[in-house]
């Protein structure tokens, strides 16, 4: 999907910014009320608006009736002037004795610059886009009842990031006082989401509800910032933070490793995901029967022999160099000659291009189970993500139809799946290093020692490799005693774990259990 291309460009942008010291995603609802949205010219972005519908969803055999609210919230400045219109869809379980005490989960994708259609239509909403896992799905696309909708455990609020969805920055030209630079940056984005959540729980009387955050990809980066702001400054305690496909520091991404020579950590943390991908595509010279024991072996090698070898740099003797090259061939399936030429350091885009190179194919980046024809067999790097070409159109088409025909909102409006959020401000408090939010999450957990954190990762994610996420959690700057508040779950899927049906069920059951056990 285009957001994946955007994400790669953002990675490059971060690297360049670091080096130059620049600033820098009832089963058919019945309408209750119909607010006319015939065109953008008649829609008032300066006023919060909503449409309420009702429906039912069957979750693992249990019927759940819900109220759906699709609409916009308008944020204002200290002078009460509108600055930003943000769109959202909320699902509230009906027939609760005291809805104000029912858990509520705030959900968002990442990018930055992505709307939240992926988690909405792929994971947690009552209707799910029908796709054939790693096989292609052709139009006309359809939605189906989501057997793993999270409404059985929590009310749900899907939030579109500033500049995406039906939202708009309310600049002077739009009758407001907003400025894109006030929203498009690490801290600016965190402040905005915290403000949205505070306004939402006030308007819908959810101050006393157990509260959870659920972010995917850059949404995990956002969650660390938002959790810290809500708890330390807004007086809004969280019961849990649920992370899917984690990234807390850009320094650990192999995509930008060349921009930071001398720091080989990204290569080390990527290695287990490379190994999982080679195992999946049958490219290992001595393939093991089971994945998990094999990955444990690779993880140990990555943090020990491999790390010690890379740390020696040019001082590594030739015999040790050859030994490491042979072990890498055994673990990730690439030819020894290729590994030698890479100086034992293969980054993600190189691996995606090289693993299936003899077949003139590339693997997916965010889900390496996917594969597609290479655009340039002679290129060093994969030039697109095959996963995108499989799912983009299906998600975009079904959500645009669903929100207008079933949620009865947005007719005549443009829904921005991706927003133009550039330049994104990665600079924090004068810091010119690679952006990181590890301190934010650690501070949130220290401030609230009851806060529980859940990390969910896919084995076949080369964008935010699972071992990177685990490494970050193990190195949060906080008392070791708080590590017991972190739980982990791994899946036979990629970045968007929910694309794999069996993993979606497991993800649902794990997340539902996490929510139910933490309030």
């Amino acid at each position: 999907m285009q957001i994946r291309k955007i994400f790669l460009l953002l990675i490059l942008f971060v690297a360049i910014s670091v080096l130059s010291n620049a600033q820098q995603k009832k089963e058919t609802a019945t309408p209750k009320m119909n607010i006319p949205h015939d065109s953008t010219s008649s829609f008032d972005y300066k006023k919060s608006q909503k449409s309420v519908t009702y429906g039912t969803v069957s979750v693992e055999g249990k019927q759940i009736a819900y109220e759906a609210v699709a609409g916009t919230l308008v944020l204002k400045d200290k002078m009460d002037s509108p600055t930003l219109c943000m769109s959202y869809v909320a699902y509230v379980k009906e027939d609760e004795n005291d809805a104000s005490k029912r858990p509520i989960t705030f959900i968002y994708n990442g990018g930055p610059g992505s709307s939240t259609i992926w988690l909405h239509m792929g994971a947690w909403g009552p209707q799910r886009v029908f796709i054939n896992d790693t096989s292609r799905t052709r139009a006309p696309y359809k939605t189906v009842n989501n057997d793993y909708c999270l409404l059985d455990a929590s009310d749900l609020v899907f939030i579109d990031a500033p500049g995406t969805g039906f939202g708009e920055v309310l600049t002077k030209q739009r009758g407001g006082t907003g400025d894109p630079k006030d929203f498009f940056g690490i801290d600016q984005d965190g402040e905005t989401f915290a403000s949205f959540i505070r306004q939402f729980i006030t308007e819908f009387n959810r101050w006393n509800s157990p509260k959870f955050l659920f972010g995917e990809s850059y949404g995990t980066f956002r969650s660390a910032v938002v959790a810290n702001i809500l708890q330390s400054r807004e007086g809004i305690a969280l019961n849990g933070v649920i992370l899917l496909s984690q990234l807390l520091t850009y320094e650990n991404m192999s995509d930008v490793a060349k921009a930071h020579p001398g720091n080989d950590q990204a290569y080390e943390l990527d290695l287990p995901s490379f190994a999982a991908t080679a195992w999946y595509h049958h490219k290992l010279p001595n393939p093991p029967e089971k994945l998990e024991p094999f990955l444990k072996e690779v993880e140990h090698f990555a943090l020990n022999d491999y790390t010690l070898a890379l740390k020696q740099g040019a001082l590594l003797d030739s015999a040790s160099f050859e030994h490491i090259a042979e072990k890498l061939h055994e673990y990730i399936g690439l030819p020894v000659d290729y590994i030698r030429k890479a100086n034992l350091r293969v980054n993600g885009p190189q691996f995606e291009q090289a693993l299936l190179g003899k077949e003139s194919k590339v693997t997916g980046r965010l889900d390496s189970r996917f594969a597609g024809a290479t655009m340039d067999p002679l290129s060093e790097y994969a030039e697109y993500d095959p996963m995108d070409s499989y799912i983009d159109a299906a998600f975009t088409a079904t959500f645009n139809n669903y929100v207008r025909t079933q949620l009865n909102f947005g007719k005549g409006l443009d829904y921005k799946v991706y927003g133009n959020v550039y330049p994104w401000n990665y600079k924090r408090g004068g810091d010119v290093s690679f952006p990181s939010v590890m301190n934010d999450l650690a501070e949130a957990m220290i401030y609230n020692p009851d806060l529980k954190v859940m990390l969910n990762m896919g084995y076949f994610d080369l964008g935010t490799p699972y071992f990177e996420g685990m490494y970050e959690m193990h190195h949060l700057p906080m008392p070791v005693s708080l590590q017991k508040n972190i739980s982990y779950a791994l899946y036979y899927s990629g970045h968007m774990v929910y694309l794999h049906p069996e993993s979606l069920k497991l993800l649902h059951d794990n997340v539902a259990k996490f929510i139910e056990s933490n309030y």
Side-chain angles (χ1 to χ4, degrees):
M1 64 192 79
Q2 192 67 22
I3 191 64
R4 314 306 173 191
K5 300 172 185 175
I6 291 171
F7 191 55
L8 288 171
L9 292 173
L10 283 171
I11 292 167
L12 179 60
F13 174 75
V14 173
I16 293 171
S17 298
V18 171
L19 295 174
S20 64
N21 193 21
Q23 176 107 359
Q24 319 191 227
K25 147 194 322 247
K26 310 163 187 165
E27 292 178 20
T28 300
T30 304
K32 178 182 179 183
M33 68 179 188
N34 183 5
I35 299 175
H37 304 306
D38 297 328
S39 68
T40 55
S41 60
S42 64
F43 187 86
D44 190 351
Y45 289 96
K46 301 188 297 299
K47 293 182 179 179
S48 297
Q49 303 194 41
K50 63 184 179 182
S51 174
V52 180
T53 56
Y54 292 91
T56 60
V57 59
S58 175
V59 180
E60 295 188 326
K62 178 183 177 181
Q63 291 291 318
I64 299 175
Y66 62 84
E67 177 186 80
V69 182
T72 58
L73 279 186
V74 175
L75 304 187
K76 297 182 179 182
D77 62 18
K78 294 180 180 179
M79 302 302 294
D80 205 35
S81 297
T83 59
L84 179 69
C85 172
M86 293 178 70
S87 60
Y88 69 93
V89 178
Y91 297 96
V92 178
K93 184 174 180 288
E94 291 199 284
D95 303 323
E96 289 294 302
N97 292 330
D98 188 351
S100 69
K101 295 181 181 179
R102 178 168 156 80
I104 188 167
T105 303
F106 296 94
I107 302 169
Y108 34 79
N109 278 96
S114 174
S115 65
T116 303
I117 68 168
W118 319 107
L119 286 169
H120 192 162
M121 301 303 292
W124 302 135
Q127 291 288 302
R128 181 172 62 87
V129 59
F130 175 79
I131 56 173
N132 291 314
D133 194 18
T134 57
S135 300
R136 291 193 176 276
T137 308
R138 295 185 295 180
Y141 308 109
K142 65 179 181 179
T143 61
V144 295
N145 175 83
N146 186 2
D147 294 332
Y148 310 114
C149 172
L150 200 56
L151 263 174
D152 59 335
S154 171
D155 291 339
L156 312 171
V157 185
F158 296 91
I159 310 170
D160 292 320
T164 74
F166 293 119
E168 293 286 350
V169 176
L170 300 177
T171 60
K172 184 177 180 180
Q173 292 77 11
R174 288 190 172 273
T177 58
D179 189 312
K181 66 180 177 58
D182 296 333
F183 311 107
F184 301 155
I186 295 173
D187 292 301
Q188 297 87 339
D189 175 84
E191 297 279 0
T192 300
F193 270 81
S195 296
F196 177 98
I197 291 170
R198 180 184 179 91
Q199 185 167 326
F200 185 95
I201 64 176
T202 298
E203 181 171 329
F204 290 89
N205 189 29
R206 301 307 295 263
W207 273 92
N208 203 36
S209 294
K211 301 172 190 67
F212 297 83
L213 302 181
F214 189 108
E216 178 186 344
S217 194
Y218 185 87
T220 65
F221 204 86
R222 172 184 295 134
S223 286
V225 181
V226 174
N228 200 20
I229 293 172
L230 287 177
Q231 298 193 137
S232 64
R233 286 173 29 199
E234 297 288 346
I236 301 173
L238 298 171
N239 293 65
V241 175
I242 307 163
L243 306 171
L244 175 60
S245 304
Q246 175 178 301
L247 170 70
L248 297 185
T249 172
Y250 278 71
E251 190 173 14
N252 286 335
M253 299 185 69
S254 73
D255 308 65
V256 298
K258 284 190 173 182
H260 200 188
N263 183 353
D264 295 314
Q265 188 165 279
Y267 300 111
E268 299 151 12
L269 300 181
D270 274 8
L271 200 65
S273 291
F274 291 172
T277 302
W279 175 86
Y280 181 86
H281 289 287
H282 309 291
K283 295 299 180 181
L284 296 175
N286 300 298
E289 181 180 351
K290 294 185 177 180
L291 180 61
E292 286 89 344
F294 172 60
L295 291 182
K296 289 298 181 185
E297 179 181 336
V298 177
E299 291 168 12
H300 184 269
F301 170 79
L303 292 185
N304 291 276
D305 292 1
Y306 188 44
T307 293
L308 292 173
L310 296 187
K311 284 188 179 299
Q312 294 184 60
L315 299 178
L316 184 67
D317 64 86
S318 59
S320 297
F321 183 97
E322 287 300 316
H323 171 69
I324 296 298
E326 292 288 346
K327 290 298 289 185
L328 289 175
H329 166 66
E330 179 183 337
Y331 285 147
I332 66 175
L334 296 185
V336 175
D337 283 347
Y338 185 97
I339 294 169
R340 291 194 191 105
K341 288 179 182 178
N343 195 27
L344 309 180
R345 296 162 176 85
V346 179
N347 65 34
Q350 291 170 330
F351 180 79
E352 295 150 26
Q353 176 81 3
L355 183 68
L356 306 179
K358 287 185 178 181
E359 303 153 48
S360 293
K361 291 183 177 180
V362 295
T363 74
R365 175 176 180 269
L366 295 186
D367 192 331
S368 60
R369 298 177 303 141
F370 290 80
T374 181
M375 290 187 176
D376 180 2
L378 299 179
S379 175
E380 179 182 356
Y381 302 109
E383 296 177 308
Y384 78 110
D385 188 336
M387 184 196 78
D388 299 350
S389 68
Y390 281 67
I391 70 171
D392 274 11
F395 273 81
T396 302
T398 52
F399 179 79
N400 272 283
N401 180 66
Y402 170 74
V403 70
R404 293 176 174 86
T405 61
Q406 295 192 42
L407 299 182
N408 201 37
F409 191 83
K411 295 177 182 177
L413 299 181
D414 178 35
Y415 185 87
K416 297 176 287 297
V417 177
Y418 317 107
N420 181 7
V421 300
Y422 316 113
W424 189 265
N425 185 2
Y426 285 96
K427 195 172 181 179
R428 309 191 74 193
D431 184 10
V432 296
S433 63
F434 281 92
S436 172
V437 294
M438 291 179 67
N439 280 325
D440 297 78
L441 184 57
E443 289 170 11
M445 296 183 71
I446 292 170
Y447 191 89
N448 177 8
D450 292 326
L451 177 66
K452 301 299 192 296
V453 177
M454 180 187 193
L455 176 59
N456 299 273
M457 306 290 283
Y459 287 123
F460 307 110
D461 180 0
L462 303 185
T464 58
Y466 80 89
F467 200 46
E468 170 198 308
M470 297 174 71
Y471 182 92
E472 290 172 351
M473 301 305 275
H474 295 155
H475 289 79
L476 290 175
M478 65 186 190
V480 174
S481 60
L482 290 176
Q483 286 287 329
K484 69 179 184 303
N485 288 354
I486 305 173
S487 57
Y488 302 85
L490 295 168
Y491 305 88
Y492 278 75
S493 191
H495 192 79
M496 303 167 76
V497 165
Y498 42 87
L499 293 182
H500 181 236
E502 290 81 3
S503 294
L504 173 57
K505 172 179 169 42
L506 185 58
L507 178 67
H508 166 271
D509 294 347
N510 288 339
V511 171
K513 182 179 179 181
F514 176 83
I515 291 173
E516 291 163 357
S517 62
N518 286 301
Y519 75 93

